[in-house]
Structures are given as structure tokens and as C-alpha cells.
Amino acid sequence: MKISDIQELFSYIKGLHQNTPVEKRPKLTPNIARAWCDALDGYTLEEAKAAALRHSRRTRFWPALDEIVKELPKKISTQTHGDDQVEELRKRWFELRAKRQEQGLPETAGKAGGMGYRQLWDTWDLAGLNL
């Protein structure tokens, strides 16, 4: 989002909360606008307005930034690993697993192994057989 989008969003919120006294409305300073831009990055102005509208239906008070963010749909991360990276990691894990079995190192933590996960990973680290 851009500063101009935040200015438009603030105008929209003012329309939704017309009865909020001027002294109770936050002043849109450059720092506040930047914080709103950062928090709403990746969302459209329409999504932010819809979130403000949902918030206004629940309360008559001016929304804080985190209240608007809570009303927004969760963004799904588009960062993915390629199949070749996943396959490389899987191959490495099974190689290490075979070497641990050859050396007689435990494969699981818990009551049967007699140690916790931290101890198990430390054991693998000491043997040089941990990811």
C-alpha cells in the first residue's frame, strides 16, 4: 500500500466513525502512515476498507491498526521450495538415518529411547549425523 491509500483509508474510517470526537481520532503523521503501510503490505485498499467496515459493525470506537489487521484475510505464503530441493533434503535425511543406524544411535526420543528430543539431537550432533 502507498501513503495515498492510507490517507484514503483514514478518510473512509472517519466516515464510518463520524461520532468519534476529533481529539479521539489519531492524527495521520508520516510515521503512523508508514506503520500502516507496512502492516497492510500485500493487501489492497478494498480489502483494508472491508476490514474497517467489519470492525465498525462490531464497535463504535476508532480502530487500532492491529484491529484492522485481525479483520483481514490471512495471506498464504507464496514462497515454496522446488521439488528438487525437497528431494535433496529427503535424500540427505535418509543417508544420515542409515549412518545413525550403522553406529547404533537411537532414532526416536521418548520413554523407549530414554532421552528427550533435545538430547537426541545433541547426540546426533556430536556424531556429526544431524541435519
Side-chain angles (χ1 to χ4, degrees):
M1 294 192 103
K2 299 179 284 193
I3 300 280
S4 60
D5 294 332
I6 300 303
Q7 291 169 333
E8 187 175 336
L9 179 60
F10 260 61
S11 294
Y12 182 75
I13 294 171
K14 283 180 191 176
L16 294 173
H17 298 280
Q18 295 173 4
N19 295 330
T20 302
V22 175
E23 64 273 1
K24 298 232 177 187
R25 294 179 189 164
K27 185 177 178 186
L28 187 58
T29 64
N31 286 337
I32 290 174
R34 185 81 261 144
W36 279 65
C37 282
D38 292 344
L40 300 176
D41 186 39
Y43 292 98
T44 65
L45 178 58
E46 290 74 30
E47 289 174 318
K49 284 182 176 181
L53 179 62
R54 283 190 296 275
H55 176 272
S56 72
R57 289 178 178 159
R58 287 188 300 104
T59 181
R60 62 187 176 96
F61 299 107
W62 189 275
L65 175 56
D66 66 327
E67 293 171 325
I68 295 293
V69 171
K70 286 178 189 174
E71 294 291 334
L72 290 166
K74 301 290 182 225
K75 291 288 183 179
I76 298 172
S77 175
T78 58
Q79 180 182 4
T80 60
H81 299 287
D83 288 339
D84 56 336
Q85 291 173 315
V86 172
E87 191 55 40
E88 184 179 324
L89 183 60
R90 183 185 316 262
K91 181 180 173 185
R92 176 77 176 133
W93 174 257
F94 282 109
E95 287 173 2
L96 290 171
R97 183 177 175 194
K99 288 179 182 179
R100 288 192 297 264
Q101 287 174 345
E102 287 173 10
Q103 291 188 13
L105 295 173
E107 279 297 312
T108 59
K111 291 182 181 178
M115 62 177 68
Y117 288 104
R118 181 77 240 158
Q119 292 171 316
L120 180 65
W121 280 70
D122 288 344
T123 303
W124 292 349
D125 281 337
L126 289 172
L129 299 173
N130 200 359
L131 285 177

